[in-house]
Amino acid sequence: MNVTACHLCGSSNLVKTIDLGFHPLADFFVKEHQLNEMERRYPLSVLLCRECGHSMNSYVVPAEVRYQENDYSYDSSNSKIAIQHFTDMAREVSERAGSAPGDLVVDIGSNVGTLLAGFKALGMRVQGVDPSHNIAALAVENGIPTINDFWSEAASGEIQKLGKAKVITMTNAFNHVSDLHAFMKALVPALRDDGVFVIELPYYLTLLLKYHFDTIYLEHVSYVSVKPLMAFFERFGLTVLHAEENDYMSGSVRIFVGKGQSDATVAELIEKEKAAGLFEEQTYIEFCKKLEALKVHLLGELVAARKAGGKIVAIGAAAKGNTLLNYCGIDRTLIDFATDASPLKVGKYTPGSHLPIKSDDAIDDTVTHALILAWNIADFLIGKIGPKHPHLDFITPHVIK
Ligand SMILES: [Zn+2]
């Protein structure tokens, strides 16, 4: 479905700023028997709303296709970094929101319940909501009650039977929602008057400043910045109370929304967004030139390694890696295989590029180079794999050496 109106303000005054070509769904890892089937590809480009400054994908793949036709492969409990981050987040959010034991905390897009486990340990009542069948089942097994559905008026009604929520969290999922107005209409009645809605997700400002273009993929409907959200939440009688950046996923923003006044952090981030030219079309012309330079540089590096007889693998088969591989046209000509720690991915193939995914143990001494696809956890991966293979040359995608 082509996007013709801004998801936040409804304006049709949209301009295309970034065009990455046609891509398959980044999280649609391909099973062996699907290798000979036609793979659906969709346009992957970003629009800027000239009215409110919001950025969004130009094409939205229906959510049912994104999350329910295939097993969703991201399991937040699989990464030690994620567990630590979400445990800390539960404590930090509870402190700022002033939530007490017994209060209801709801997580939308709760995955296997890693964040809610943090709130549960603090004595709060928890309830997850997640549309993916296999992931919601894992959460229930982990002792986190989970409604297996998209967020909707029906899901909100289920929550309200438990009492209204003091805290509603949503990590790396608000940017996946296509109808944000319906979403908020269902959310407001489930939130207490003194409640806080907390969203955390990759920050568009960081994407722009650090050229994290591979975090653009079809599962991401929107690219979030603070300024456009201010006006959006006001439509629902809410305001952005507080906003802070953190290093998770190499650059996230955590936004607290509720009734009351904004603190100084909100104006500070909006100033940074304006200063970086986030809402100016001209900014993206330069950005796209840099992407082309990064692509040429990375291909040059891989081709040189291959010509010298090298064997290259890709490590950390993250969804964003698929934008990188497909934008750069990298396939088995250049890379032998990909590796990942998740049993949900091992044995499958990367979408589009069809690299077989093996466990990290498949890296042996014949491998000379490792392209880090999950660059947000590069230090962790290098620390884990580097000592076993001291001659391995690591390549990170956004850096021109
Ligand atoms: Zn807009």
Side-chain angles (χ1 to χ4, degrees):
M1 187 183 69
N2 284 310
V3 172
T4 53
C6 173
H7 301 305
L8 296 187
C9 76
S11 168
S12 56
N13 192 1
L14 308 173
V15 59
K16 188 184 284 187
T17 48
I18 303 168
D19 189 345
L20 299 177
F22 277 70
H23 289 244
L25 286 162
D27 229 320
F28 222 106
F29 288 86
V30 179
K31 294 174 186 162
E32 178 106 38
H33 71 88
Q34 294 170 317
L35 282 174
N36 290 326
E37 291 170 13
M38 177 95 113
E39 210 171 357
R40 277 175 289 181
R41 287 180 183 249
Y42 308 88
L44 182 58
S45 50
V46 179
L47 306 173
L48 170 70
C49 173
R50 288 187 175 117
E51 292 297 325
C52 77
H54 185 56
S55 282
M56 67 214 93
N57 276 350
S58 69
Y59 190 90
V60 174
V61 180
E64 295 73 20
V65 178
R66 281 183 277 146
Y67 299 108
Q68 291 185 327
E69 273 191 15
N70 213 16
D71 286 348
Y72 191 57
S73 58
Y74 177 71
D75 168 353
S76 63
S77 71
N78 193 47
S79 151
K80 285 183 186 134
I81 296 168
I83 293 171
Q84 185 62 51
H85 176 76
F86 289 126
T87 306
D88 292 344
M89 181 174 174
R91 193 189 65 251
E92 290 159 11
V93 166
S94 295
E95 281 168 13
R96 184 164 289 282
S99 50
D103 281 346
L104 179 63
V105 179
V106 174
D107 190 27
I108 301 174
S110 47
N111 200 268
V112 296
T114 310
L115 175 60
L116 286 177
F119 284 107
K120 194 178 169 187
L122 295 169
M124 284 144 214
R125 289 183 296 138
V126 298
Q127 178 65 52
V129 183
D130 199 285
S132 174
H133 304 310
N134 64 322
I135 292 288
L138 282 173
V140 173
E141 270 176 40
N142 293 343
I144 303 296
T146 303
I147 298 168
N148 180 210
D149 206 348
F150 292 98
W151 181 250
S152 62
E153 282 192 22
S156 177
E158 289 299 309
I159 297 297
Q160 289 171 63
K161 286 182 196 164
L162 305 170
K164 293 190 178 198
K166 172 67 178 173
V167 176
I168 300 180
T169 51
M170 196 175 193
T171 60
N172 303 304
F174 188 78
N175 49 336
H176 295 211
V177 178
S178 43
D179 189 343
L180 285 168
H181 286 262
F183 177 91
M184 287 306 295
K185 244 181 94 187
L187 186 130
V188 170
L191 188 66
R192 274 164 48 174
D193 267 354
D194 65 346
V196 184
F197 174 42
V198 184
I199 56 174
E200 182 176 278
L201 65 186
Y203 194 14
Y204 197 42
L205 178 64
T206 316
L207 187 160
L208 185 81
L209 294 176
K210 294 192 177 168
Y211 302 100
H212 292 168
F213 69 94
D214 45 353
T215 60
I216 295 170
Y217 47 82
L218 290 156
E219 285 83 346
H220 287 165
V221 173
S222 290
Y223 301 94
V224 164
S225 50
V226 179
K227 179 183 162 276
L229 283 182
M230 280 289 279
F232 173 71
F233 285 123
E234 276 168 18
R235 293 165 179 247
F236 303 93
L238 301 171
T239 192
V240 178
L241 303 170
H242 174 85
E244 59 191 36
E245 291 179 88
N246 64 58
D247 289 335
Y248 192 60
M249 315 278 274
S250 288
S252 294
V253 63
R254 186 179 296 170
I255 298 173
F256 291 72
V257 180
K259 292 188 172 148
Q261 298 288 320
S262 305
D263 68 16
T265 59
V266 179
E268 281 164 20
L269 283 189
I270 292 174
E271 270 319 302
K272 270 177 87 170
E273 292 168 358
K274 287 181 181 167
L278 200 69
F279 312 114
E280 310 293 331
E281 290 162 46
Q282 185 65 31
T283 306
Y284 298 92
I285 295 170
E286 294 304 315
F287 180 85
C288 292
K289 279 186 194 158
K290 173 77 180 216
L291 297 198
E292 287 166 15
L294 286 169
K295 174 175 174 174
V296 169
H297 178 82
L298 177 61
L299 286 171
E301 212 172 341
L302 297 176
V303 167
R306 202 63 151 175
K307 272 186 173 172
K311 182 172 176 181
I312 310 170
V313 299
I315 56 173
K320 57 179 162 292
N322 295 320
T323 294
L324 181 82
L325 296 171
N326 289 313
Y327 170 70
C328 293
I330 297 168
D331 58 19
R332 289 188 75 176
T333 320
L334 290 172
I335 292 188
D336 285 77
F337 58 89
T339 69
D340 201 274
S342 168
L344 294 173
K345 290 180 185 170
V346 170
K348 294 182 183 169
Y349 295 78
T350 56
S353 53
H354 290 184
L355 305 178
I357 303 171
K358 304 183 178 188
S359 77
D360 293 333
D361 301 335
I363 300 171
D364 60 23
D365 287 339
T366 63
V367 177
T368 56
H369 293 74
L371 171 65
I372 302 177
L373 298 179
W375 42 261
N376 56 305
I377 53 166
D379 292 345
F380 171 77
L381 291 171
I382 292 169
K384 184 176 158 195
I385 295 166
K388 291 183 200 159
H389 307 284
H391 303 296
L392 201 57
D393 205 346
F394 290 96
I395 301 169
T396 41
H398 307 110
V399 183
I400 295 181
K401 283 180 195 159

